[in-house]
Amino acid sequence: MGETVHNRIAMLRAERRVSRRELADALGVHYQTIGYLERGEYSPSLYLALKIAAYFEVSVEVLFALEEFRRIG
């Protein structure tokens, strides 16, 4: 098992029509950080993970997982 944290940030952003820059501004991070997170090149701190989940109004478990998410549909 690797140390990759999988996430649904890109999916939620697209679904809610939020740009990387808008999300970054709301979270107080650089917009490139959002790209790194979405590509799995960076794992968020617990604090940042909780802020992202709160922004999208979902639980952390909906947004992040240690295993790849199953495809929907």
Side-chain angles (χ1 to χ4, degrees):
M1 180 171 130
E3 293 187 21
T4 303
V5 176
H6 302 277
N7 70 76
R8 291 180 167 147
I9 298 171
M11 184 190 78
L12 286 171
R13 266 195 331 95
E15 182 180 277
R16 300 184 188 191
R17 296 188 170 108
V18 175
S19 71
R20 283 183 179 160
R21 192 170 299 276
E22 290 170 323
L23 179 57
D25 289 347
L27 299 172
V29 299
H30 194 277
Y31 76 94
Q32 288 180 323
T33 300
I34 304 302
Y36 295 140
L37 288 166
E38 289 178 350
R39 293 187 300 274
E41 296 172 5
Y42 172 70
S43 294
S45 66
L46 177 57
Y47 179 76
L48 182 54
L50 290 167
K51 281 180 68 171
I52 297 168
Y55 178 87
F56 287 115
E57 299 178 326
V58 298
S59 68
V60 174
E61 294 85 359
V62 167
L63 197 53
F64 297 99
L66 296 176
E67 311 243 339
E68 285 191 56
F69 290 102
R70 287 184 171 158
R71 292 187 93 63
I72 300 171

